[in-house]
Amino acid sequence: INAEYMGTATSDPSEIPPSYEFFVEAAHNSPSPTLPDLIETHLYIANPAYESFRSNGKIGPPIVNLVRTGTFDLLRAFMAEAGRERGNTHPQQMKVPRMVRGAQVDFLRRNVTDTFPSQQIKNR
């Protein structure tokens, strides 16, 4: 969305309704209060079915989690260590994934400093 942020996403189908969850590291540690709504607007644009799912309650509002400065550097190190243990990943090839699961989500959640739900009304 903007060079001021670095982020990744996950979804938790066990939530009712399920929603997209974003982990964001802000360049100056204070994200715009409109960031969750901006993300949701881009979800509406990127996927026409998203609006239908939101309006009928099949998908909840996106959640934006602000993580501590340096968290994505630590995530890359965490992923590189896991790759070394499997013997198949060189640390310099580790990039922040677009989608995270399992241990990566747990790692990111331990570094959340604040959470911002979207304030957009599902029936736009």
Side-chain angles (χ1 to χ4, degrees), residues 72-97:
F72 286 105
D73 289 334
L74 294 172
L75 176 64
R76 278 192 286 275
F78 174 78
M79 291 168 51
E81 180 59 32
R84 267 194 299 275
E85 290 172 5
R86 290 189 306 271
N88 63 355
T89 306
H90 191 278
Q92 292 180 332
Q93 294 191 350
M94 297 310 311
K95 295 170 183 60
V96 174

Side-chain angles (χ1 to χ4, degrees), residues 27-58:
H28 33 76
N29 232 3
S30 101
S32 164
T34 61
L35 182 60
D37 294 328
L38 182 62
I39 288 173
E40 182 149 43
T41 296
H42 282 274
L43 288 170
Y44 281 115
I45 293 167
N47 184 351
Y50 179 80
E51 185 168 6
S52 171
F53 291 144
R54 281 285 285 125
S55 65
N56 67 22
K58 289 184 178 180

Side-chain angles (χ1 to χ4, degrees), residues 2-10 21-29 31 35 39 63-81 91-101 103-114:
N2 183 312
E4 296 179 41
Y5 305 103
M6 178 185 304
T8 191
T10 190
E21 183 175 6
F22 295 86
F23 296 91
V24 176
E25 183 177 323
H28 33 76
N29 232 3
L35 182 60
I39 288 173
I63 299 164
V64 176
N65 297 299
L66 179 65
V67 296
R68 290 182 189 91
T69 300
T71 295
F72 286 105
D73 289 334
L74 294 172
L75 176 64
R76 278 192 286 275
F78 174 78
M79 291 168 51
E81 180 59 32
Q92 292 180 332
Q93 294 191 350
M94 297 310 311
K95 295 170 183 60
V96 174
R98 292 178 185 232
M99 185 79 170
V100 291
R101 291 185 175 83
Q104 296 168 350
V105 173
D106 296 338
F107 178 88
L108 289 168
R109 285 184 177 152
R110 287 192 301 270
N111 287 281
V112 170
T113 60
D114 211 345

